[in-house]
Amino acid sequence: MARLKSKWICRECGYESSGYLGKCPDCSGWSTLIEEIPAKHNPITFHNSLNYSTPQLLKDVSLDAKVRYTTGMAELDAVLGGGLVKGSLVLVGGDPGIGKSTLTLQTCGKLAQKGLKSLYISAEESEKQVKLRANRLNIDFDNLYIQPETNIEDIKRGIDAISPEVVIIDSIQAVYTPGITSSPGSVSQVRECCSALMALAKTSGVTMVIIGHVTKDGMIAGPKVLEHMVDTVLYFEGDRYKSYRLLRSIKNRFGGTNDIGVFKMEDSGLAEVKNPSMLFLSERGNTAIPGSVVIASSEGTRPLLVEIQALVGPTSYPSPRRVATGIEYNRVLQILAVLEKRVGLNLSKQDVYVNAVGGIDIQEPSADLGIALAVATCARNVRVAPDTVIIGEVGLSGEVRTISHLVARINEAKKLGFKKALIPQSNLPVKNPPENIEIVGVLRLIDAISNAVQDS
Ligand code: TYD
Ligand code: MG
């Protein structure tokens, strides 16, 4: 038999190449391509199948309301768009040790309380380890089954044996199908197993939750290679050295995306955080400090107040350092360029460090104005009043641009005792503005700086 030709697959994004490449042309990752021998596939033959879906008119498709299992954890239900949809497949990705197993086991406990049968397939830990964790989490054992298994065929047998409503696979990288020669965790194993589970979810109506570790190196495929095939993709993020965690939805066929849920990791598991802005600002004092401002980011539809800190100082390097934590690096460079050109701030001999406090990742342009003000106030050693919130996107010509969800952001700031909101002038007039908070519109970045800086 002719040897099957191997191919090189990027473990980050799934890009395929016939030979080795040091850098992936698709996702620009270095050393991410790994060699795989493809499984032997039979060519497609068209034959008469009795079990096929016939074409029907779109207008005849019945729109029965989807059955959703609410988990009782409001933060999780909101991120899922109202609960787990029956027969759907949800992928939960995140760094190892962030709390994925804890979240899913707690979810099983909540479902069990409602009388739903769930099956926890533990492909990494023994049943005793899972029971110890379940004891620690104080969860309801009735209706919760455990199967330590890695072979996908035996997993299917387990599902057939007890017909659960919800199945958790922890983790997809440890599951394998004997039909493929490559090792568990390789791109082809992970994809093949995921598509088999997807087909099972669709045909049997079982809801599947699949856990995928985000991998930085090694030969393991990350959850990114599965994103296109699943119904919902959630990422569990956070700073491992801090206790809170963010659950972010980046794809949802049954609800909105970009919503976030906030949890706190405690000794007895994950607790929901109802007022995340308070948590993010909890370590901030009431005195104004140069380089510190508060922005109102909007993650999905949910407003979130976050402190932005900047530190600007003379460099001792031939070219000055630029460091951004929790904010996109290129975005910071762009804002620094605008500050130099449009405001006249000379940063060419200054190191600049910018940090979104609390380990949160700010992905939204409305943070621009806050970042610019943090840098400008630190560089000029002036202060923004601590009860002022800064909202706005900054354009290349130094203009402050319109942003969305403005009223929700201002309301959140007012709830936390802020007295003034600096917003883009183009967002004025604000419809139904909250009372007792001064709203000031600014046209250009330079006006924003003079307006926000406290007289002292
Ligand atoms: P885990 O859910 O095992 O992470 P993952 O499945 O994403 O790899 O959680 C790992 C961390 O969470 C571990 O370091 C211990 C901590 N933890 C708590 O702080 N409290 C708890 O109740 C539990 C179960 C875990
Ligand atoms: Mg785990």
Side-chain angles (χ1 to χ4, degrees), residues 293 295 308 327 331-332 334-335 339 362 364-375 390-396 399-401 403 445:
V293 300
I295 59 153
I308 302 284
I327 304 159
R331 192 107 211 148
V332 172
Q334 184 178 316
I335 294 166
L339 278 170
I362 305 283
E364 222 222 335
S366 77
D368 288 0
L369 191 58
I371 298 168
L373 278 171
V375 173
I390 312 289
I391 311 165
E393 182 182 344
V394 175
L396 286 182
E399 80 280 19
V400 178
R401 307 178 69 111
I403 49 109
L445 175 55

Side-chain angles (χ1 to χ4, degrees), residues 118-260:
S118 33
L119 172 61
Y120 196 94
I121 309 281
S122 178
E124 292 177 358
E125 295 168 307
S126 69
E127 60 270 50
K128 291 200 180 70
Q129 281 172 301
V130 177
K131 180 152 187 188
L132 279 175
R133 180 181 290 134
N135 278 339
R136 185 173 168 184
L137 298 174
N138 247 329
I139 66 172
D140 196 334
F141 285 108
D142 286 340
N143 290 317
L144 173 53
Y145 292 77
I146 167 93
Q147 185 186 2
E149 189 53 71
T150 49
N151 183 333
I152 189 110
E153 285 166 15
D154 294 334
I155 291 174
K156 163 87 167 60
R157 281 188 197 105
I159 296 172
D160 288 346
I162 64 162
S163 310
E165 266 100 12
V166 179
V167 174
I168 313 284
I169 311 279
D170 185 3
S171 69
I172 188 74
Q173 284 119 336
V175 170
Y176 73 99
T177 162
I180 295 183
T181 46
S182 54
S183 58
S186 62
V187 176
S188 38
Q189 278 284 5
V190 165
R191 274 196 186 152
E192 195 69 24
C193 291
C194 183
S195 72
L197 292 168
M198 185 78 178
L200 191 60
K202 298 292 165 216
T203 52
S204 64
V206 176
T207 304
M208 299 266 179
V209 180
I210 289 181
I211 292 178
H213 297 292
V214 171
T215 52
K216 295 278 182 291
D217 44 30
M219 300 295 277
I220 307 271
K224 255 202 151 34
V225 298
L226 302 176
E227 280 176 4
H228 65 285
M229 45 204 295
V230 305
D231 293 317
T232 304
V233 181
L234 307 181
Y235 275 96
F236 210 32
E237 315 169 344
D239 187 339
R240 282 192 65 182
Y241 303 102
K242 293 265 170 71
S243 60
Y244 54 83
R245 304 278 182 266
L246 294 183
L247 187 65
R248 198 188 286 272
S249 144
I250 64 154
K251 167 180 173 179
N252 194 351
R253 287 186 182 152
F254 308 109
T257 50
N258 275 327
D259 269 338
I260 59 160

Side-chain angles (χ1 to χ4, degrees), residues 74-145:
E75 295 285 309
L76 176 62
D77 288 340
V79 173
L80 286 167
L84 285 165
V85 173
K86 183 176 187 299
S88 70
L89 191 145
V90 180
L91 173 68
V92 180
D95 289 334
I98 203 80
K100 301 179 296 298
S101 304
T102 309
L103 177 73
T104 44
L105 198 58
Q106 263 180 279
T107 309
C108 287
K110 294 279 185 191
L111 293 172
Q113 271 176 358
K114 302 189 165 227
L116 293 164
K117 201 191 276 181
S118 33
L119 172 61
Y120 196 94
I121 309 281
S122 178
E124 292 177 358
E125 295 168 307
S126 69
E127 60 270 50
K128 291 200 180 70
Q129 281 172 301
V130 177
K131 180 152 187 188
L132 279 175
R133 180 181 290 134
N135 278 339
R136 185 173 168 184
L137 298 174
N138 247 329
I139 66 172
D140 196 334
F141 285 108
D142 286 340
N143 290 317
L144 173 53
Y145 292 77

